[in-house]
Amino acid sequence: MLLLHCALLWLLLLPPGSRTQKLPTRDEELFQMQIRDKAFFHDSSVIPDGAEISSYLFRDTPKRYFFVVEEDNTPLAVTVTPCDAPLEWKLSVQELPEEASGDSSGEPEPLEQQKQQITNEESTELFSYKGNDVEYFVSSSSPSGLYQLDLLSTEKDTHFKVYATTTPESDQPYPELPYDPRIDVTSLGRTTVTLAWKPSPTASLLKQPIQYCIVINKEHNFKSLCAVEAKLSSDDAFMMAPKPGLDFSPFDFAHFGFPSDNNSGKERGFLKSSSKFGRQIPSKPRVDLHKICIGNKNIFTVSDLKPDTQYYFDMFAVNTNTNMSTAYVGTFARTKEEAKQKTVELKDGKVTDVFIKRKGAKFLRFAPVSSHQKVTFSVHSCLDAVQIQVRRDGKLLLSQNVEGVRQFQLRGKAKAKYLIRLKGSKKGASMLKILATTRPNKQSFPSLPEDTRIKAFDKLRTCSSVTVAWLGTQERNKFCIYKKEVDDNYNEEQKKREQNQCLGPDTRKKSEKVLCKYFHSQNIQKAVTTETIRGLQPGKSYLLDVYVIGHGGHSVKYQSKLVKTRKFC
């Protein structure tokens, strides 16, 4: 059990005079008493079992945490939440020292000797990650040992959160997402947007206290509530770092130019506080970011918005017992114009994001500045099909329904002006990306074959692998394939509820990635590639996705493929 014998670890990390302090254990009464006092863990490098801790990293300054698993075959889950900067972190384990103290008389070994006993042991890396996603390590059967969690921020000073537990099945501190975790835009006005979402099963089934918090801003979607709070509170101001006695020792703050209440700084001349060496952070304008917590309602109207402005909306389910949260799939919407809807001007070679409400329409205008022989329109529909109409100087040239990615090339004309009408789906709101250009080589969208299905070879299925194939083109592109285990009752209708198709592989978990490779063929008849995906579980269903990434960095997802390994081999 995690921290069951944490006295061993505490002896390694504290001076002898501090060893009478009690440690957090999974004795529930003692654990609950200790965890109420958050300061109990702030100055330690020990991760408590079943409680989320918050801490702070200086740029390029690594931080290490420890915890002990006493018994083999212990379940273990570790979750790391970056806040306002990407993190590099790894989890490793090494064998426990045989003894943490001296002979039976109780005389401890010198502290430095005990620490050396840890660092001299070789450790085995279990997991590593680099990025700003909420990432986790889960094992149903972990070996006993001393576990080390190493974290590093290479971009800037940042906050982060860590949660570890040896009882992941019963704890469940993070609210569970519903089967459809998207936020729906149900109504759109000039200054209002109405949002609706499915309730968390943690509230509807487990009856735990859940409240929902909506975040609104004009820049981008957020991956965690921690990232939102960091943006709201700091604007990168170093003064918002935790105070001495919480996440840092007085030594840390004296070194970085902060005064210390502890006398240790006075004993070392080079630690004296001086504003000369303090970090001077230039003031920045406040971000236009708002967080609203609305209780347990699952529909809400955001008001006081600006007309004809694009907003990003994020929803977080917060367990009020644990104060831990889970993010829904964010969305964005553009409020209606103040008066008559104006036409959006398209710039040559630039991708434009377009949002269309249910049964709505948008008008765009493209006026090339130079004479041209051809004009190309590339459209990527993120959700349901949309209708596109193109008129040149009033004459209808094109009228098509677009699903996925389509490219249309029309004959040009000197000084011509093109009016594009985009009509949304009757099923719901539509999101799409559109590119207009007179330069044939200016293509942000990757080329696609006519058939974007993934084919699975039934005869090549085994208990641990599947073999699939897909078509490419004559253009050399990068292809990345991802896998995700799903329930056996997963069907086509559920596939349609997946997050929008414009989200690329950067939104996927690192653990879902299979591989990336470049592929093309000058002979279009031979532009097909196969791949065997190994390491799967017998009798399990998996959803496979292939992303093609163009030279401009824009990615397009092929049609998802549901496969199942053989149960018996």
Side-chain angles (χ1 to χ4, degrees):
M1 183 175 292
L2 181 62
L3 294 181
L4 186 62
H5 276 201
C6 199
L8 165 65
L9 182 55
W10 203 264
L11 286 170
L12 296 174
L13 300 175
L14 286 181
S18 303
R19 292 177 188 165
T20 57
Q21 187 174 8
K22 292 183 178 180
L23 300 173
T25 70
R26 289 305 278 185
D27 178 289
E28 285 301 321
E29 182 178 356
L30 179 60
F31 172 72
Q32 293 298 334
M33 177 190 72
Q34 292 168 339
I35 205 63
R36 292 189 196 103
D37 183 10
K38 297 295 185 183
F40 183 83
F41 299 107
H42 279 305
D43 280 332
S44 78
S45 297
V46 178
I47 300 178
D49 188 356
E52 186 177 62
I53 63 169
S54 300
S55 193
Y56 197 82
L57 278 173
F58 289 116
R59 180 170 61 89
D60 293 330
T61 304
K63 182 173 279 192
R64 173 173 291 177
Y65 288 89
F66 300 90
F67 57 87
V68 172
V69 172
E70 185 204 13
E71 298 177 357
D72 287 329
N73 303 318
T74 298
L76 177 63
V78 178
T79 303
V80 177
T81 304
C83 293
D84 47 348
L87 294 181
E88 298 178 23
W89 64 272
K90 70 175 182 178
L91 182 67
S92 55
V93 63
Q94 66 184 54
E95 293 184 1
L96 285 169
E98 292 184 3
E99 295 292 337
S101 61
D103 55 25
S104 59
S105 64
E107 283 297 321
E109 297 174 359
L111 181 60
E112 291 305 317
Q113 182 177 342
Q114 296 171 31
K115 289 183 178 180
Q116 193 67 29
Q117 192 172 0
I118 293 178
T119 57
N120 285 344
E121 295 287 338
E122 290 188 6
S123 59
T124 301
E125 183 176 315
L126 300 175
F127 183 81
S128 64
Y129 173 74
K130 181 178 181 181
N132 59 356
D133 280 323
V134 179
E135 192 57 86
Y136 53 87
F137 168 84
V138 178
S139 173
S140 59
S141 179
S142 296
S144 63
L146 176 64
Y147 285 73
Q148 298 174 188
L149 178 65
D150 296 284
L151 303 105
L152 177 67
S153 172
T154 58
E155 285 193 9
K156 62 178 182 178
D157 302 341
T158 182
H159 291 84
F160 66 92
K161 293 186 177 183
V162 176
Y163 173 78
T165 180
T166 54
T167 54
E169 291 298 325
S170 59
D171 283 5
Q172 297 184 351
Y174 296 95
E176 184 181 351
L177 289 177
Y179 71 94
D180 182 2
R182 294 181 299 179
I183 306 170
D184 294 321
V185 178
T186 60
S187 177
L188 196 63
R190 288 188 294 271
T191 61
T192 61
V193 173
T194 300
L195 307 171
W197 57 94
K198 304 289 190 304
S200 166
T202 305
S204 57
L205 299 179
L206 302 180
K207 305 301 181 183
Q208 293 189 25
I210 297 293
Q211 75 165 346
Y212 299 98
C213 294
I214 299 174
V215 175
I216 309 106
N217 79 104
K218 300 177 184 177
E219 295 181 2
H220 56 78
N221 290 111
F222 287 88
K223 297 182 178 180
S224 69
L225 192 56
C226 174
V228 173
E229 292 167 345
K231 191 76 172 178
L232 279 171
S233 63
S234 67
D235 289 341
D236 291 335
F238 186 74
M239 66 179 66
M240 298 306 294
K243 296 178 181 179
L246 296 179
D247 289 86
F248 300 106
S249 68
F251 172 89
D252 295 323
F253 272 78
H255 182 69
F256 281 91
F258 286 79
S260 169
D261 295 329
N262 192 294
N263 292 328
S264 61
K266 298 178 182 179
E267 296 172 2
R268 309 181 187 185
F270 66 94
L271 295 180
K272 291 182 179 178
S273 172
S274 169
S275 59
K276 180 180 178 180
F277 299 102
R279 291 188 178 185
Q280 302 297 320
I281 303 297
S283 61
K284 294 184 178 182
R286 291 289 295 177
V287 292
D288 192 2
L289 177 67
H290 303 278
K291 184 181 79 169
I292 309 168
C293 293
I294 59 169
N296 58 5
K297 296 185 294 184
N298 63 333
I299 186 169
F300 185 75
T301 298
V302 183
S303 57
D304 298 325
L305 302 176
K306 293 182 180 180
D308 192 30
T309 303
Q310 182 161 296
Y311 289 91
Y312 294 86
F313 302 93
D314 292 289
M315 174 62 59
F316 300 92
V318 182
N319 187 326
T320 56
N321 279 344
T322 64
N323 203 32
M324 296 163 79
S325 60
T326 305
Y328 278 61
V329 176
T331 189
F332 63 87
R334 195 174 192 91
T335 51
K336 288 184 177 180
E337 294 177 316
E338 188 69 67
K340 183 181 178 181
Q341 181 176 333
K342 66 180 181 181
T343 302
V344 178
E345 293 286 342
L346 294 178
K347 294 184 179 180
D348 198 329
K350 184 179 180 181
V351 176
T352 300
D353 292 314
V354 181
F355 174 83
I356 309 172
K357 70 176 184 178
R358 179 174 175 267
K359 296 182 179 180
K362 275 286 177 70
F363 292 90
L364 303 94
R365 182 175 176 270
F366 182 52
V369 296
S370 58
S371 60
H372 55 283
Q373 294 182 338
K374 294 180 179 180
V375 60
T376 302
F377 293 94
S378 299
V379 181
H380 186 182
S381 176
C382 305
L383 298 172
D384 295 314
V386 296
Q387 184 188 62
I388 180 172
Q389 289 184 346
V390 180
R391 295 178 183 271
R392 185 184 64 200
D393 300 330
K395 181 181 179 181
L396 181 65
L397 301 180
L398 173 70
S399 181
Q400 292 273 352
N401 287 328
V402 175
E403 198 167 7
V405 177
R406 291 288 302 275
Q407 192 176 88
F408 307 97
Q409 196 171 75
L410 306 175
R411 183 175 296 177
K413 186 179 180 180
K415 299 181 180 179
K417 294 179 176 59
Y418 301 86
L419 182 67
I420 302 97
R421 180 179 183 266
L422 299 169
K423 187 176 181 181
S425 168
K426 296 179 181 179
K427 299 178 182 178
S430 301
M431 290 185 287
L432 58 94
K433 295 177 181 288
I434 185 168
L435 169 77
T437 182
T438 58
R439 294 167 286 176
N441 295 328
K442 184 68 175 179
Q443 299 295 335
S444 293
F445 293 83
S447 60
L448 289 174
E450 290 186 8
D451 189 348
T452 59
R453 291 175 299 174
I454 303 171
K455 176 178 174 58
F457 298 95
D458 185 69
K459 292 183 178 180
L460 299 180
R461 281 190 308 140
T462 71
C463 289
S464 61
S465 69
V466 294
T467 300
V468 295
W470 65 89
L471 298 178
T473 65
Q474 293 174 315
E475 181 181 344
R476 187 173 185 266
N477 284 319
K478 182 180 180 181
F479 293 86
C480 293
I481 186 165
Y482 284 73
K483 70 177 190 305
K484 180 175 72 173
E485 185 177 336
V486 295
D487 295 330
D488 289 339
N489 57 359
Y490 196 88
N491 53 41
E492 292 297 323
E493 189 175 340
Q494 286 176 288
K495 266 202 286 188
K496 293 181 181 179
R497 291 196 292 261
E498 290 290 316
Q499 58 189 16
N500 79 69
Q501 300 295 302
C502 291
L503 295 180
D506 57 320
T507 63
R508 300 293 296 264
K509 294 178 180 179
K510 185 178 179 180
S511 58
E512 295 176 351
K513 182 178 179 179
V514 178
L515 59 85
C516 290
K517 67 178 183 179
Y518 287 88
F519 165 72
H520 76 293
S521 176
Q522 294 300 324
N523 186 346
I524 195 64
Q525 302 297 326
K526 297 182 179 180
V528 59
T529 183
T530 61
E531 200 64 50
T532 299
I533 302 163
R534 308 180 191 278
L536 308 180
Q537 298 298 316
K540 296 294 184 180
S541 297
Y542 293 87
L543 192 69
L544 303 182
D545 289 308
V546 170
Y547 297 86
V548 54
I549 303 169
H551 301 300
H554 187 82
S555 63
V556 179
K557 188 170 78 169
Y558 277 46
Q559 297 179 43
S560 299
K561 181 66 176 179
L562 188 64
V563 297
K564 187 173 183 178
T565 55
R566 296 188 187 278
K567 193 170 184 179
F568 303 102
C569 294

